[in-house]
Amino acid sequence: MTLLWGSGSPPCWRVQLMLEEKQLQGYNQKRLCFYKMEHKSQEVLDMNPRGQLPAFKCGNDILNESYAACFFLENQYKSQGNKLIPDSPEAQALMYQRMFEVLTLGQKMLDLVTYNFKVPEGERHDSAVQRIKEALTTELKLWEGYLNKTDCCLAGKEFTLADVAFYPVIAVIFRFGLSSERYPALAKSYNSLKDRPSIKA
């Protein structure tokens, strides 16, 4: 297995979490620098023609989308490491729902974080930033409500693929200064999971 990854990238962290959860340590890995445009190098393009990270290869199989890599690793290594898809249909339904909802949360975070990078200075507007902040706040309140109904994991008491998808996103949001006082359920989940061996690794 080979993983090309970049620091601070939730999709990269997702694949790293999966590899740890499935006890697949010892794979080939290389940390690349986004600021040096190393994700556009030929080494990456050979695996991921979009020039994005992660670039992940398992044998002859290339899985550059983090969700695809997560599902692949869970299915290929079912009996190894931690089981991340629950048995009951109800828990599975909730897990899949929350897992794919993470995409919306991640996009709303990215909209805010990357606004100044993507929008030329002369085209930036305070009202646009305010709308983006309000959309993220609305989304965070939704997740706060979800986590008020569970312990610290998204689909029940056990850590699942939903948490693999979610944790890197919420960790980045807290690193950007999300208020623990304003979002206590999100803070509880973040703090409860941050010492999980796969996350620490």
Side-chain angles (χ1 to χ4, degrees):
M1 294 181 194
T2 298
L3 175 65
L4 306 179
W5 61 283
S7 182
S9 162
C12 292
W13 196 357
R14 234 173 248 143
V15 178
Q16 291 171 309
L17 280 176
M18 275 305 295
L19 290 162
E20 290 292 326
E21 289 287 335
K22 302 313 288 184
Q23 297 176 349
L24 295 166
Q25 298 90 349
Y27 55 91
N28 298 313
Q29 62 163 310
K30 187 173 183 181
R31 178 181 171 180
L32 302 175
C33 180
F34 291 110
Y35 297 112
K36 293 179 182 175
M37 300 301 288
E38 290 176 345
H39 57 296
K40 301 298 183 184
S41 68
Q42 193 58 50
E43 182 181 20
V44 174
L45 292 169
D46 288 344
M47 285 172 63
N48 190 341
R50 289 192 174 95
Q52 297 172 335
L53 299 176
F56 178 64
K57 188 173 184 179
C58 181
N60 292 321
D61 300 308
I62 294 175
L63 299 116
N64 295 319
E65 292 297 326
S66 62
Y67 275 47
C70 288
F71 282 116
F72 177 84
L73 291 168
E74 178 62 22
N75 285 317
Q76 292 302 307
Y77 299 94
K78 282 182 184 175
S79 60
Q80 187 169 320
N82 295 312
K83 181 179 176 182
L84 297 172
I85 297 177
D87 289 324
S88 82
E90 295 83 6
Q92 276 188 26
L94 183 58
M95 183 209 74
Y96 287 124
Q97 178 62 34
R98 295 293 179 262
M99 185 176 184
F100 282 91
E101 281 183 271
V102 170
L103 294 169
T104 301
L105 174 62
Q107 187 57 56
K108 289 184 178 179
M109 174 199 65
L110 273 177
D111 289 346
L112 182 60
V113 170
T114 63
Y115 181 79
N116 286 340
F117 296 111
K118 289 187 174 181
V119 179
E121 191 172 347
E123 298 175 22
R124 295 176 197 159
H125 299 284
D126 290 343
S127 60
V129 173
Q130 189 58 36
R131 277 195 309 277
I132 293 168
K133 284 182 179 177
E134 288 170 2
L136 179 57
T137 298
T138 300
E139 186 70 19
L140 288 167
K141 287 178 181 174
L142 188 62
W143 289 91
E144 182 74 5
Y146 292 160
L147 285 163
N148 272 324
K149 297 175 186 172
T150 65
D151 188 17
C152 67
C153 296
L154 286 173
K157 294 182 179 179
E158 300 299 322
F159 189 86
T160 68
L161 283 176
D163 302 293
V164 170
F166 174 73
Y167 188 85
V169 174
I170 203 62
V172 168
I173 294 174
F174 271 107
R175 287 178 185 174
F176 273 100
L178 186 68
S179 167
S180 297
E181 291 75 27
R182 203 166 159 198
Y183 299 99
L186 282 165
K188 180 184 175 187
S189 175
Y190 169 68
N191 289 316
S192 296
L193 294 175
K194 71 181 177 183
D195 289 328
R196 187 174 179 87
S198 63
I199 290 170
K200 285 181 80 171

